[in-house]
Amino acid sequence: MSVQTETQPYEMLSINSDAADQLFFEARSANAFSDEPVSDEVLDAIYDTMKMGPTLMNNQPLRITWVKSAEARQKVSEAMAGTNAQKALTAPALAILSFDTEWHEEFPSFFPHAPERKAMFEDQGARTAIGNNNAWLQAGYFIMAVRAVGLAAGPMAGFDAAAVDAVVNADGRNKSFLIVNVGKPGADAWFGRLPRHDAQFATRSI
């Protein structure tokens, strides 16, 4: 049986309870935001924190587009389903997360001690799968970095990726997979927290 536990393992963590709450236990996906702007310095800090998470051979395939112009926001919102469209129009900062389908071209910069390993990823199908998987991994780091700077994230997957790519990835090299609203939470920002699986259900030892 899967049940949610109300007891948090603060005593087992090497960070204090306030930090644990900010990053994990009290953090939520926001559905409404205040109109307080998010500065470029904070956006840069989010990236500089996120980039430190591990990826396969340090490949770092995630590419972030911060949508700042009203015209681009409108076009992106038109590609989104349901209430996601309005969220995209009103969040203080809007990030399009994409993965670089040609990430292996950067081997000399991210794996400088063995750039010849680029040849291992010439197969486009395998390269795309690896890029997508590792970009999703980085998306998790991105959300945690947003929380670490004291903001809330509202990730959204309900959108027409081809239409979004026509706006932000016109060269065809990058492919969008997630849109994230970023900012200070506004009124009625939270839905009720849903149950989490407990360790007895979700983990095992062999």
Side-chain angles (χ1 to χ4, degrees), residues 58-114:
N58 196 37
N59 69 339
Q60 306 169 70
L62 182 67
R63 306 291 179 259
I64 302 169
T65 302
W66 293 107
V67 182
K68 296 183 177 181
S69 75
E71 179 183 6
R73 266 196 192 244
Q74 182 61 44
K75 289 180 178 178
V76 169
S77 73
E78 290 170 0
M80 306 197 72
T83 59
N84 285 350
Q86 185 60 27
K87 294 176 187 178
L89 287 172
T90 57
L94 184 67
I96 311 296
L97 305 192
S98 304
F99 75 95
D100 185 351
T101 62
E102 304 295 332
W103 57 267
H104 70 313
E105 296 291 349
E106 310 305 322
F107 247 93
S109 62
F110 66 70
F111 216 64
H113 59 289

Side-chain angles (χ1 to χ4, degrees), residues 57 103-104 107 117-123 127 130:
M57 291 188 181
W103 57 267
H104 70 313
F107 247 93
R117 294 192 187 183
K118 171 187 171 184
M120 297 169 57
F121 302 98
E122 293 299 329
D123 179 77
R127 188 173 69 245
I130 290 169

Side-chain angles (χ1 to χ4, degrees), residues 177-200:
F177 65 92
L178 191 67
I179 298 178
V180 186
N181 294 317
V182 175
K184 291 285 187 181
D188 300 320
W190 319 117
F191 296 148
R193 187 185 291 280
L194 295 172
R196 269 32 178 195
H197 294 312
D198 62 20
Q200 185 176 3

Side-chain angles (χ1 to χ4, degrees), residues 5-6 8 10 45 49 57 61 64 82 101 109 114 117 126 129 131 138 155 166 174 180 187 194 201 203:
T5 177
E6 297 297 330
Q8 312 301 0
Y10 294 118
T49 302
M57 291 188 181
I64 302 169
T101 62
S109 62
R117 294 192 187 183
Q138 288 190 283
N174 299 329
V180 186
L194 295 172
F201 176 86
T203 70

Side-chain angles (χ1 to χ4, degrees), residues 12-80:
M12 301 300 296
L13 303 179
S14 62
I15 57 176
N16 64 41
S17 60
D18 289 341
D21 284 341
Q22 181 173 330
L23 295 175
F24 297 101
F25 302 126
E26 297 299 327
R28 310 288 297 280
S29 293
N31 294 284
F33 293 86
S34 75
D35 58 4
E36 182 177 336
V38 180
S39 70
D40 287 345
E41 291 76 13
V42 171
L43 300 184
D44 289 343
I46 291 170
Y47 175 77
D48 287 334
T49 302
M50 177 279 298
K51 70 182 182 182
M52 303 310 294
T55 52
L56 175 73
M57 291 188 181
N58 196 37
N59 69 339
Q60 306 169 70
L62 182 67
R63 306 291 179 259
I64 302 169
T65 302
W66 293 107
V67 182
K68 296 183 177 181
S69 75
E71 179 183 6
R73 266 196 192 244
Q74 182 61 44
K75 289 180 178 178
V76 169
S77 73
E78 290 170 0
M80 306 197 72

Side-chain angles (χ1 to χ4, degrees), residues 124-144:
Q124 183 177 8
R127 188 173 69 245
T128 296
I130 290 169
N132 185 48
N133 289 344
N134 281 267
W136 273 106
L137 182 63
Q138 288 190 283
Y141 305 145
F142 177 86
I143 291 171
M144 299 307 290

Side-chain angles (χ1 to χ4, degrees), residues 143-190:
I143 291 171
M144 299 307 290
V146 169
R147 294 173 175 180
V149 300
L151 300 178
M156 303 179 293
F159 62 94
D160 181 338
V164 170
D165 286 339
V167 179
V168 302
N169 294 322
D171 64 358
R173 173 165 167 162
N174 299 329
K175 300 296 183 183
S176 61
F177 65 92
L178 191 67
I179 298 178
V180 186
N181 294 317
V182 175
K184 291 285 187 181
D188 300 320
W190 319 117

